[in-house]
Amino acid sequence: MEHFIKCISCGGEFGGNKVIYSCPNCGGLLEIGYDFESICERLGKSDWTSRPLSVWRYREFLPIGPLIEPITLGEGGTSLHRCQRLGERIGISRLRVKNEGENPTGSFKDRGMAVGITKALELGKRWVACASTGNTSASLAAYAAKAGIRRTVLVPKGGVAYGKIAQAIAHGAEIVEVEGNFDEALRLIIELAVRIPELYLMNSVNPYRLEGQKTLAFELFDQLGGRVPDCVVVPVGNAGNISAIWKGFRELEASGLLDPPLPRMIGIQAEGAAPIVKAFKSGSDAIDPIEEPATVATAIRIGRPASWKKALRAVRESGGLMEAVSDEEILLAQRLLAAEEGIFVEPASASSIAGLMKLRQSGEISGEEEVVCVATGHGLKDPEVIVESFKGPLSLQDFLLSIRAMAKAA
Ligand code: AN7
């Protein structure tokens, strides 16, 4: 699709297919813009409504030229589960969970990575890199493997869940451990990417990668039969995903496919890593970064979220809000979702459920609202967190004794 690059701060516009990670004029965040009349025209002529649910169903909305074959592992098209039992417990009569753990590498990052790596090839790049709390690196490694290009990931030492490191290793990434947290790793890789033109950066400051992630909004619209819910609850770390999903809803509106009201965007951070929540609640226009973010949800252990400005804008424009949840609340929500609905997610993902429980209790979300929680990543990525808190299995002897006691009582 024809497109351009736009600065969200100064409004500066730049031609498409430029390799820039911040506004050359003011340093602001970039996003991809389109001419929606031409999108509508293309949609009218295309067979998009007969394509299967997937990131590529929405190709007319993606900044990828017509000549390049997408790099795909089958991303998108994830289930939207009705969660009656959990909904009753929380007091939400219409609760659904969008299970992004069903993506090829087990997280929503695959939506963005499919588009980002396809763009890398279109631009002639043969080397991609990112800083990551784990899921981005797993996804980058897999898609770069599929594309057959060099792949490097910078990860914070000791800060990445086991399963995610295993994925990066298996998919042949060059793994660089950084002494320090994610924020430092991100600062480092951006510096390197600016200096080394061969190295194409796949973090969400690259506006092309984020484009793939907006397809989650398109899928929700399609899965609900051309409607959108009242609220979409999203875990927030570096803040790219909530921004991308909101952009998706806005683009459906701009294309005339969706009439307002759009959903309220609800962003959830972990208490020990919640600079955007703090800014939102104090009505501030800037965040105060957290130097040493801490939470059991390692995926969102981020103190200086790159896309905070986009996220604040998404939440405010949509009439939504931001809330923080404790590690205890996160782990409880993780258990509930797994044990009541059969959906096993990693702690960061469970923060959306934990946030919903808290906001329902405080009355900021009503029981009548139709709610979708985004479950961003699979529980198998971080098995340690579950096993560590397990009291241990029954011995066979105790089990047999309990059966005998049951028989006696009957
Ligand atoms: C499961 O992989 O930042 O707010 O480097 O893995 O878009 O950052 C992961 C983030 C939520 C937060 N849930 O999304 C990374 C990384 C899961 C995640 C988030 C992440 P953003």
Side-chain angles (χ1 to χ4, degrees), residues 108-109 132-136 236-241 299-300 302 346 376:
F108 70 100
K109 301 283 182 185
S132 176
T133 58
N135 279 325
T136 305
V236 172
N238 216 21
N241 202 32
I300 52 173
I302 296 175
E346 65 169 289
T376 42

Side-chain angles (χ1 to χ4, degrees), residues 108-109 133 136 182-183 186 204 209 213 234-243 266-270 273-277 287 290 293 295 297-309 311 322-323 348-349 351 376:
F108 70 100
K109 301 283 182 185
T133 58
T136 305
F182 167 82
D183 303 294
L186 181 61
S204 53
R209 200 209 83 202
Q213 285 171 215
V234 189
V236 172
N238 216 21
N241 202 32
I242 192 169
S243 314
I266 316 271
I268 310 296
Q269 294 195 290
I276 310 180
V277 176
I287 61 156
I290 312 242
T295 165
T298 52
I300 52 173
R301 191 185 283 166
I302 296 175
R304 197 179 285 271
S307 296
W308 65 266
K309 201 167 194 173
M322 296 279 313
E323 186 55 272
S349 309
S351 69
T376 42

Side-chain angles (χ1 to χ4, degrees), residues 20-99:
I20 44 175
Y21 307 117
S22 62
C23 175
N25 300 336
C26 76
L29 286 172
L30 301 172
E31 68 178 12
I32 305 293
Y34 303 88
D35 165 15
F36 286 98
E37 261 174 44
S38 85
I39 286 192
C40 290
E41 220 168 273
R42 270 160 213 258
L43 283 176
K45 286 189 221 145
S46 88
D47 61 346
W48 77 281
T49 51
S50 63
R51 295 178 205 151
L53 204 65
S54 126
V55 165
W56 301 101
R57 173 179 167 92
Y58 311 102
R59 188 163 175 156
E60 281 77 9
F61 285 89
L62 296 173
I64 298 292
L67 300 178
I68 185 107
E69 190 64 27
I71 298 295
T72 177
L73 292 168
E75 52 289 339
T78 57
S79 304
L80 182 62
H81 298 280
R82 217 173 199 297
C83 292
Q84 193 91 29
R85 193 174 297 115
L86 183 62
E88 270 165 28
R89 196 185 250 260
I90 301 179
I92 301 272
S93 58
R94 289 175 299 162
L95 172 62
R96 289 184 173 83
V97 169
K98 178 83 166 152
N99 187 9

Side-chain angles (χ1 to χ4, degrees), residues 73-397:
L73 292 168
E75 52 289 339
T78 57
S79 304
L80 182 62
H81 298 280
R82 217 173 199 297
C83 292
Q84 193 91 29
R85 193 174 297 115
L86 183 62
E88 270 165 28
R89 196 185 250 260
I90 301 179
I92 301 272
S93 58
R94 289 175 299 162
L95 172 62
R96 289 184 173 83
V97 169
K98 178 83 166 152
N99 187 9
E100 289 291 286
E102 292 173 15
N103 276 297
T105 77
S107 88
F108 70 100
K109 301 283 182 185
D110 293 344
R111 294 181 185 273
M113 209 53 74
V115 173
I117 297 285
T118 300
K119 186 45 110 183
L121 291 193
E122 198 182 6
L123 295 174
K125 303 287 182 186
R126 309 293 304 166
W127 183 14
V128 289
C130 70
S132 176
T133 58
N135 279 325
T136 305
S137 60
S139 186
L140 176 143
Y143 283 84
K146 180 76 180 174
I149 59 177
R150 182 174 171 188
R151 40 212 180 267
T152 305
V153 303
L154 266 65
V155 294
K157 192 171 178 183
V160 176
Y162 209 63
K164 302 175 190 179
I165 283 285
Q167 289 179 290
I169 296 169
H171 294 302
E174 186 173 37
I175 301 171
V176 183
E177 215 170 45
V178 176
E179 297 280 344
N181 57 31
F182 167 82
D183 303 294
E184 283 151 61
L186 181 61
R187 188 185 50 74
L188 246 164
I189 197 71
I190 292 177
E191 228 177 83
L192 287 173
V194 169
R195 280 204 216 139
I196 309 170
E198 291 80 20
L199 184 158
Y200 192 46
L201 184 62
M202 278 290 124
N203 281 103
S204 53
V205 290
N206 179 339
Y208 286 105
R209 200 209 83 202
L210 265 192
E211 283 302 281
Q213 285 171 215
K214 73 186 180 189
T215 58
L216 190 148
F218 301 163
E219 287 187 9
L220 281 182
F221 169 79
D222 273 334
Q223 287 174 305
L224 291 173
R227 289 185 308 112
V228 290
D230 298 311
C231 297
V232 178
V233 190
V234 189
V236 172
N238 216 21
N241 202 32
I242 192 169
S243 314
I245 295 171
W246 177 240
K247 189 171 190 277
F249 288 127
R250 291 293 306 266
E251 293 186 356
L252 283 175
E253 185 188 19
S255 316
L257 293 169
L258 174 63
D259 293 326
L262 304 189
R264 296 205 284 156
M265 299 302 298
I266 316 271
I268 310 296
Q269 294 195 290
E271 268 174 10
I276 310 180
V277 176
K278 200 167 155 211
F280 177 81
K281 290 195 174 182
S282 65
S284 168
D285 281 328
I287 61 156
D288 199 1
I290 312 242
E291 291 309 323
E292 290 189 19
T295 165
V296 67
T298 52
I300 52 173
R301 191 185 283 166
I302 296 175
R304 197 179 285 271
S307 296
W308 65 266
K309 201 167 194 173
K310 286 185 180 177
L312 267 184
R313 189 181 65 175
V315 168
R316 287 184 176 145
E317 265 179 22
S318 70
L321 54 97
M322 296 279 313
E323 186 55 272
V325 290
S326 69
D327 282 358
E328 214 177 359
E329 290 167 326
I330 289 173
L331 294 175
L332 172 68
Q334 183 189 31
R335 289 293 180 97
L336 281 178
L337 186 59
E340 308 257 309
E341 297 291 349
I343 303 172
F344 183 26
V345 303
E346 65 169 289
S349 309
S351 69
S352 59
I353 304 290
L356 175 63
M357 291 168 82
K358 191 162 176 178
L359 293 167
R360 179 69 200 90
Q361 255 164 23
S362 69
E364 293 195 73
I365 293 179
S366 87
E368 284 68 52
E369 284 180 88
E370 184 173 25
V371 179
V372 170
C373 285
V374 179
T376 42
H378 203 289
L380 286 175
K381 289 192 170 254
D382 193 359
E384 277 170 312
V385 84
I386 297 289
V387 178
E388 270 165 19
S389 64
F390 184 48
K391 288 186 206 80
L394 283 177
S395 69
L396 179 58
Q397 200 176 9

